[in-house]
Amino acid sequence: MPTKTPEKNSDDLEEGVVLRPRFDASGLITCVTSDAASGEVLMVAHMNAEALQKTVESGEAWYFSRSRKALWRKGETSGHVQRVREIRIDCDQDAVWLRVEQAGGAACHTGRRSCFYRAVEPGQTGAKLTFVEAERVFDPDAVYGKHGHAQD
Amino acid sequence: MPTKTPEKNSDDLEEGVVLRPRFDASGLITCVTSDAASGEVLMVAHMNAEALQKTVESGEAWYFSRSRKALWRKGETSGHVQRVREIRIDCDQDAVWLRVEQAGGAACHTGRRSCFYRAVEPGQTGAKLTFVEAERVFDPDAVYGKHGHAQD
């Protein structure tokens, strides 16, 4: 059934082997990060060109914080770094997928394993949220301080 | 160790049970979609408020196509719909995670199971791409036509 062969043109966006990340107008690309072992999605964040390059070269996850407008080494404050097992890029090269091993067992600044700890369900008066992975692996106040930036 | 209890304030963005999706300036929210069984990330796309509402209410994935500027029922052309097993939202409610059952076995418009069929690896002269899941489940020309929009 496959009629097209990959790599017909090495710099073809969808079928090539040249990395051509399509950063948006702000210079960012979306990154989804999942646990390499369980497949659980841990977080969605953004990378600029430097963050992507540092991630590829160092084997640890770097992002760009839109709120702090700064390059951000994941786990810099908490020690909960992400060791990168595999980096993937999607068909039109505007999204990155990191498969990581999460140090400390928690990716979310709230202290939970994943940022996606609530499910969206239909309700009588619109959608409602239900906590499905509410348990905290660490206490964010203890890790970041009560007045520290609660994200790393 | 957990010191905070969920639901201290029902409409709190991070700890509440009220859905308050934070759409960006274009009215969109990022959505990552994974295979409910394998955990593989299939695609990253966007939703507007209507797409999110239709997804919650119908149990099938709807997105908003930025290129076509149109609401988009996944699988409308190909029949490869996504049956939603679970919807999650992240801590600050600016990203959605869909866990789906992918009809037809392929989410990508190139005919592959996942849009993330290439790995990014460090090379002598910068990063390079390697095909890791290159096999096509369907022939996109046969499904969409050679001149049809190659995405659904």
Side-chain angles (χ1 to χ4, degrees):
Chain A
M1 180 157 28
T3 55
K4 293 175 182 170
T5 52
E7 303 182 39
K8 58 182 177 180
N9 183 338
S10 68
D11 67 350
D12 182 276
L13 194 66
E14 295 190 347
E15 302 299 331
V17 293
V18 175
L19 179 64
R20 289 168 53 198
R22 289 169 58 228
F23 298 101
D24 67 12
S26 305
L28 301 177
I29 195 167
T30 301
C31 177
V32 49
T33 302
S34 69
D35 184 288
S38 71
E40 184 180 31
V41 172
L42 299 175
M43 55 187 283
V44 168
H46 295 81
M47 289 177 165
N48 63 359
E50 190 179 357
L52 178 56
Q53 185 184 352
K54 281 180 176 290
T55 300
V56 172
E57 291 176 356
S58 72
E60 290 192 345
W62 286 73
Y63 302 102
F64 185 87
S65 166
R66 293 185 298 179
S67 56
R68 287 183 278 128
K69 295 185 181 20
L71 200 66
W72 158 38
R73 176 172 167 256
K74 177 70 182 169
E76 178 118 45
T77 305
S78 65
H80 300 161
V81 299
Q82 295 176 333
R83 286 179 287 269
V84 176
R85 289 289 164 255
E86 190 177 33
I87 308 174
R88 301 265 192 111
I89 195 149
D90 75 344
C91 44
D92 59 354
Q93 301 204 28
D94 69 354
V96 169
W97 172 23
L98 296 188
R99 296 177 58 234
V100 306
E101 189 180 307
Q102 174 66 60
C108 185
H109 74 284
T110 67
R112 299 182 177 96
R113 195 169 69 227
S114 163
C115 293
F116 293 87
Y117 48 82
R118 288 171 296 181
V120 183
E121 290 169 354
Q124 294 283 350
T125 55
K128 63 182 178 62
L129 303 184
T130 304
F131 281 77
V132 285
E133 298 282 352
E135 192 189 356
R136 293 181 203 265
V137 177
F138 66 83
D139 174 1
D141 287 347
V143 169
Y144 302 113
K146 282 188 189 299
H147 303 288
H149 66 76
Q151 187 170 358
D152 91 322
Chain B
M1 184 157 28
T3 54
K4 293 175 182 171
T5 51
E7 302 181 40
K8 59 182 176 179
N9 183 339
S10 68
D11 68 349
D12 182 275
L13 192 66
E14 296 190 347
E15 301 299 333
V17 293
V18 175
L19 179 64
R20 289 169 52 198
R22 290 169 58 227
F23 299 101
D24 67 13
S26 305
L28 301 177
I29 195 167
T30 301
C31 177
V32 48
T33 302
S34 69
D35 183 287
S38 71
E40 183 179 31
V41 172
L42 299 174
M43 56 188 282
V44 168
H46 295 81
M47 290 177 164
N48 63 0
E50 190 178 358
L52 178 55
Q53 185 184 353
K54 282 180 176 289
T55 300
V56 172
E57 291 175 355
S58 72
E60 290 192 346
W62 287 74
Y63 302 101
F64 185 86
S65 166
R66 292 184 299 177
S67 55
R68 288 182 278 128
K69 296 185 180 21
L71 201 67
W72 159 37
R73 176 173 167 256
K74 176 70 182 168
E76 177 117 45
T77 305
S78 64
H80 301 161
V81 298
Q82 294 176 334
R83 286 179 287 270
V84 177
R85 290 287 164 257
E86 189 177 35
I87 309 173
R88 301 263 191 112
I89 194 148
D90 76 344
C91 45
D92 58 355
Q93 301 204 29
D94 69 354
V96 170
W97 172 23
L98 296 187
R99 296 178 57 233
V100 306
E101 189 179 309
Q102 175 65 61
C108 185
H109 75 283
T110 67
R112 299 182 177 94
R113 196 169 69 227
S114 163
C115 294
F116 293 87
Y117 47 83
R118 289 172 296 182
V120 183
E121 291 169 354
Q124 294 283 348
T125 55
K128 63 181 179 63
L129 303 183
T130 304
F131 281 78
V132 285
E133 298 281 352
E135 192 188 357
R136 294 180 203 266
V137 178
F138 67 83
D139 174 2
D141 287 347
V143 169
Y144 301 113
K146 282 188 190 297
H147 304 290
H149 65 76
Q151 189 172 357
D152 91 323

